[in-house]
Every structure is written in structure tokens, then in C-alpha cells.
Amino acid sequence: QVQPVESGGGLVQPGGSLRLSCAASGAASGRTFRTYGVGWFRQAPGKEREFVAGISWSGGNTDYADSVKGRFTISRDNAKNTVYLQMGSLKPEDTAVYYCAAGPRPGWGTFKDFNEYDYWGQGTQVAVYS
């Protein structure tokens, strides 16, 4: 069992930056987490959940939604059992609850498919406004 836990959300002005973290709780969970693909998804009020970014277990493959390419960067530190989402040039339309998801299947070509993920965090709120 892997339990992703998100942190780092908050309020930021347009053009600002935030870094979200997704960590696996517990040592045993962490050893499994580092072998999993991880994705970030977001859901704004009244909208469907959408893919933001994904990363393979090794960090060698990444993928991004077109709406965040060039502004967001996903990375991971397997020694810390943590995946990061560095968000820059934030816009009001980036406002959403951001979810971290993990699983053994996600990889190149499948990061966008939320059905590929087995474990989901509770989400962290990001609000971008002036």
C-alpha cells in the first residue's frame, strides 16, 4: 500500500511560483513509491480532473499538459521518496486542487490516463489571484 501525501499548496499572485511535493508516507511505502510512475492532476471547481504532468520511476521520462509546458517542471528524488512539481509563471486558470497519483503502470504514453494510477493523495489547494 502506497499513500501519497501532497504539500506545498497555497495562495500566490499571477506570475508567481510554488513548489508542490508528493511524498510517500512510511518507509515501506517509500521503497515501493520510488519504483512507481507518478502523475500530477488538478481539478478546478465545476471542471473535470485533468492531467498536469507525469514522471517515470527513474525520472528518465516526463510528460506535460500543453497548458503547463514551459512553466511547470516535474522531478523526483528517490532518496527522499518525493516527487516535486515546480510551478512558475502561474495564472489564475491554474487555480485548482492538485492531486498526486502513483502506480506501477504509468509510463511514457500513459501518464495522462488517470485510470493507470492505483494510489491517490488527498490533494492540495493552489489559488492564483491578484
Side-chain angles (χ1 to χ4, degrees):
Q1 187 78 8
V2 173
Q3 180 55 58
V5 179
E6 304 97 336
S7 62
L11 275 56
V12 63
Q13 292 186 333
S17 300
L18 278 176
R19 188 177 77 161
L20 305 183
S21 298
C22 173
S25 60
S29 178
R31 286 192 289 272
T32 302
F33 183 76
R34 69 183 63 160
T35 70
Y36 281 2
V38 174
W40 284 97
F41 293 78
R42 66 187 182 187
Q43 188 166 19
K47 295 188 177 181
E48 293 185 353
R49 189 171 298 191
E50 64 174 0
F51 169 76
V52 176
I55 189 167
S56 61
W57 70 270
S58 67
N61 288 316
T62 58
D63 195 13
Y64 297 90
D66 288 342
S67 59
V68 307
K69 278 181 182 175
R71 300 189 299 121
F72 291 10
T73 301
I74 189 170
S75 63
R76 68 189 304 160
D77 184 341
N78 281 344
K80 297 181 178 179
N81 301 323
T82 303
V83 171
Y84 304 99
L85 184 68
Q86 180 68 48
M87 305 186 296
S89 302
L90 283 162
K91 306 174 182 179
E93 51 264 43
D94 294 317
T95 295
V97 177
Y98 283 69
Y99 297 92
C100 173
R105 297 184 303 278
W108 179 249
T110 64
F111 289 127
K112 293 181 171 66
D113 186 352
F114 63 83
N115 291 311
E116 290 291 308
Y117 296 86
D118 296 323
Y119 305 102
W120 291 80
Q122 295 298 307
T124 185
Q125 177 72 54
V126 172
V128 184
Y129 71 98
S130 341

